[in-house]
Each structure stands twice: as C-alpha cells, then as structure tokens.
Amino acid sequence: MSKPKNVWKIFFKDKKHGGHRCSSEEFLSLEAREKLFHLDGGKTLLDFGCGSAELLTYYALEYEQLVGVDFSPSMLEEASRRIEKKKCQNINLILADHETLWKNLDSSFDRITAAGVIQYLTFQEIDTFIFEASKYLNKDGKIVFFDILDSRLYPLWKIGVFSRDTNVFKILCKIGFEFRTMISASFKNRPKDILGFSHNPYTIEKIANKHGFKMTYVQSMYYEYKYHAIMRKT
C-alpha cells in the first residue's frame, strides 16, 4: 500500500484550485485578511502549499518578498498565471514537497506559513517540517499553520451536526455514507478523506514545544471545523 504522501501527490497532480469554501475574489480577500492578521507583520514570507496562489497574491500586498511552494505542477501553472494577472513582481515559485523544499532555499524568512496543508502530513512529517523550518526562520519570526482539521470538530461537521436543517435521520444517513466511503477508499487505495488527516491541536502544540516554540491556536473564522496554529520561538 502506498504511503499517504504518495497518495496525495497523485491526487493533487492535476488539480488547479485550492479547497476554499468560495472561490470569489471577495471571499478570498476576506480569508486573506484574517490570515494576515495572524501573520502579524514581517517583510519576507514563505508559503508552503501555496496552490494556485489564491491567497499568496493577497499576501504580496503586505510583504516585500515572498516564495510560494507546491508539489503540484498544475497548481504552480495556475499560480504563475494568477501572479502575472495580479502583477505581483515580488513572488517566486518553487516546485517542491515538504522533504525537498529545504534544499531549494537560499534565504531565511520572517514568516513561514501553510494554509490547508498540514492535514496532509503525518505527525512525524509535521515534526520534521517544524524542525527544518526553524532553521530558515529569522529572529522574532513565526510559523503559522492555517486551517488544520480539528479532530474534535471535523467528525461532527462531516455528519451534519452544524447544518441549519440537521435532524437525527440526516445525521444517521451521513454516518452510513461516510462509513461506506471509507470502506470503498480502503479497497481502491484512495484517500479515505480528500481533506486529509484531522489533528488535535494539543498534539501539534507538543511538537511545537519540542522544538522550542510557544504555540497558541485559534478557531478559523470561515471554517467551523478548522483551527490555526501560531508558533513563535520561546
């Protein structure tokens, strides 16, 4: 059976857009504004898993130099088009994954971020990512992981607990549907959930503390089942 990271590479190899709740520029602008609030300054930024640069081009308005990284060629093709359209001349793009990224960098950053990406990594891979990222973080820098699936809330969201018109019958139907989907995915060697793994924030915090970071987490404004992990060196 393939490792999860290989499954995700196959899954995303021809994707062209990120998994935002809405693709309108109005929504992307609002989502970026929330994330910029938590990034809270700095002059240089590394965006791992930048996808088609839907948020990166908004970050570019606030940073002097940015690097966007993704392992999907199709995503980076879309990112290049968007960057050119938005006339962002302060963004460089790199084709790499969480393992090959570091050997492609020749500078450090004030902010290292990833939005909707960490749930595609295992805890061991997250541990390694934070360890490597700390080597490329400037003094007073921050690592910020946005939109991590909350293992306490995501299962409830999936079965419709947060829906306006939810009832017991609909919840039971969704439980049955999710169970069938997981069984089918196992037989076909596909991701059991296209949104990735859900992670408890306290587990992420332990990993951050291990590498000398103080972490706080806050609920996402636009995704009721996700949270942001904000890490700063102690």
Side-chain angles (χ1 to χ4, degrees), residues 9-225:
K9 279 189 176 182
I10 294 169
F11 181 78
F12 281 107
K13 69 177 182 179
D14 57 354
K15 298 293 185 294
K16 295 184 178 181
H17 299 287
H20 301 279
R21 175 161 281 175
C22 178
S23 60
S24 72
E25 290 298 329
E26 180 182 8
F27 178 82
L28 292 173
S29 175
L30 290 172
E31 187 176 333
R33 190 181 306 172
E34 177 209 10
K35 289 170 169 56
L36 284 166
F37 173 80
H38 293 302
L39 288 168
D40 189 27
K43 295 182 179 180
T44 56
L45 179 142
L46 170 68
D47 184 7
F48 175 67
C50 67
S52 55
E54 290 163 309
L55 296 176
L56 187 60
T57 49
Y58 284 103
Y59 297 163
L61 301 174
E62 303 294 332
Y63 286 86
E64 294 180 5
Q65 193 62 44
L66 307 92
V67 173
V69 182
D70 208 282
F71 63 57
S72 169
S74 59
M75 284 285 199
L76 288 187
E77 287 177 12
E78 288 298 312
S80 294
R81 294 189 186 98
R82 181 175 175 85
I83 289 168
E84 183 177 359
K85 180 180 178 181
K86 295 288 185 179
K87 295 181 171 59
C88 298
Q89 313 223 340
N90 55 344
I91 299 176
N92 292 320
L93 297 175
I94 295 175
L95 177 65
D97 61 19
H98 62 284
E99 294 178 327
T100 60
L101 161 62
W102 313 108
K103 66 181 181 181
N104 286 283
L105 298 179
D106 56 11
S107 63
S108 55
F109 301 87
D110 297 326
R111 301 290 184 268
I112 296 177
T113 187
V117 173
I118 297 306
Q119 53 263 43
Y120 297 110
L121 303 181
T122 64
F123 286 128
Q124 182 56 55
E125 289 168 339
I126 294 170
D127 186 304
T128 302
F129 186 93
I130 293 175
F131 172 72
E132 295 293 344
S134 66
K135 301 176 185 178
Y136 292 88
L137 197 64
N138 291 333
K139 183 179 179 182
D140 297 324
K142 293 167 68 174
I143 299 174
V144 186
F145 294 153
F146 290 117
D147 298 327
I148 305 173
L149 296 180
D150 192 326
S151 59
R152 304 162 303 175
L153 299 175
Y154 183 52
L156 299 178
W157 177 81
K158 286 183 71 176
I159 62 174
V161 170
F162 298 146
S163 299
R164 291 183 180 181
D165 60 346
T166 190
N167 57 53
V168 174
F169 177 73
K170 289 183 177 180
I171 289 175
L172 291 175
C173 287
K174 287 197 173 187
I175 290 174
F177 173 78
E178 291 297 333
F179 180 76
R180 289 195 301 272
T181 299
M182 290 177 62
I183 295 298
S184 175
S186 295
F187 280 116
K188 297 179 180 179
N189 194 26
R190 295 187 313 205
K192 294 180 181 179
D193 191 320
I194 62 171
L195 292 186
F197 308 108
S198 56
H199 295 318
N200 188 299
Y202 297 117
T203 305
I204 303 296
E205 184 177 24
K206 287 181 180 178
I207 297 172
N209 293 163
K210 171 185 172 182
H211 295 292
F213 287 90
K214 179 180 180 181
M215 189 192 109
T216 57
Y217 77 93
V218 295
Q219 190 74 23
S220 169
M221 287 180 61
Y222 298 104
Y223 304 91
E224 58 270 40
Y225 52 95

